């Protein structure tokens, strides 16, 4: 027999559904056996199919939670500051943003949603580090070199991405 899609290739394989001759190049292994590409028509899992409306919802929720958590982070750090408080807050914020984004898109998953949640944690970290001096808002460069702050940020991002 010759492959239906590659006439120059001899084969003894056939599609388990339609019986068409297929070669190892066009063979698609499915849970019910070997199929030709037309019969296999594998679809992505519905949980991985994220549309543009879902991305907009996720971005809105992530931004809203980032603003809320950023101000809470700044407030709690100004009230009580000990070594591991920032780490604990970052973990909680990462979980909150990741879970919020997940719920807003009906528990869908994907790299785009992970990036949106990670950006939310980053925005939250930046808001928590803004300072006010004589009515002027500024971001101190020293916050970019704060080892514990950056570790807290990384942990928050990991937790948020892990939720998605």
């Amino acid at each position: 027999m010759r492959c239906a899609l590659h006439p120059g290739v001899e084969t003894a394989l056939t599609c388990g559904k339609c019986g068409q001759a297929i070669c190892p190049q066009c063979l698609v292994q499915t849970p019910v056996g070997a199929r030709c590409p037309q019969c296999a028509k594998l679809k992505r899992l519905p949980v991985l199919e994220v549309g543009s409306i879902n991305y907009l919802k996720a971005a809105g929720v992530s931004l809203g939670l980032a603003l809320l958590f950023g101000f809470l982070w700044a407030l709690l750090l100004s009230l009580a500051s000990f070594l591991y408080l920032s780490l604990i807050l970052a973990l909680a914020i990462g979980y909150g943003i990741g879970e919020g984004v997940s719920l807003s898109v009906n528990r869908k998953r994907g790299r785009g949603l992970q990036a949106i949640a990670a950006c939310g944690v980053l925005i939250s970290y930046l808001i928590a580090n803004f300072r006010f001096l004589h009515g002027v808002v500024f971001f101190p460069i020293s916050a970019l070199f704060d080892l514990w702050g950056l570790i807290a940020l990384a942990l928050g991002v990991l937790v948020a991405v892990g939720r998605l």
Side-chain angles (χ1 to χ4, degrees), residues 30-148:
T30 65
V32 293
R35 298 281 168 98
C36 65
Q38 292 81 21
C39 292
K41 291 193 182 171
L42 298 176
K43 292 183 181 179
R44 292 185 72 188
L45 292 173
V47 78
L48 298 176
E49 290 180 6
V50 183
S52 57
I53 298 296
N54 287 331
Y55 283 123
L56 289 174
K57 283 183 196 176
V61 167
S62 180
L63 181 61
L65 289 175
L67 293 172
L68 174 71
F69 289 149
F71 287 119
L72 278 172
W73 196 348
L75 178 67
L76 290 174
L77 284 179
S78 67
L79 294 177
S81 183
F82 58 91
L83 183 61
Y84 299 112
L85 179 62
S86 188
L87 295 174
I88 294 167
L89 289 173
L91 291 170
I93 288 169
Y95 182 84
I97 290 176
E99 190 66 18
V101 168
S102 179
L103 287 172
S104 73
V105 294
N106 214 14
R107 299 284 186 196
K108 292 192 180 287
R109 299 179 174 276
R111 293 195 189 275
L113 296 174
Q114 290 174 340
I116 289 171
C119 288
V121 175
L122 176 65
I123 290 169
S124 182
Y125 174 76
L126 293 175
I127 289 172
N129 283 294
F130 278 124
R131 301 290 178 250
F132 301 98
L133 183 64
H134 305 295
V136 177
V137 178
F138 69 97
F139 183 79
I141 299 298
S142 63
L144 296 176
F145 300 106
D146 176 25
L147 181 63
W148 286 109

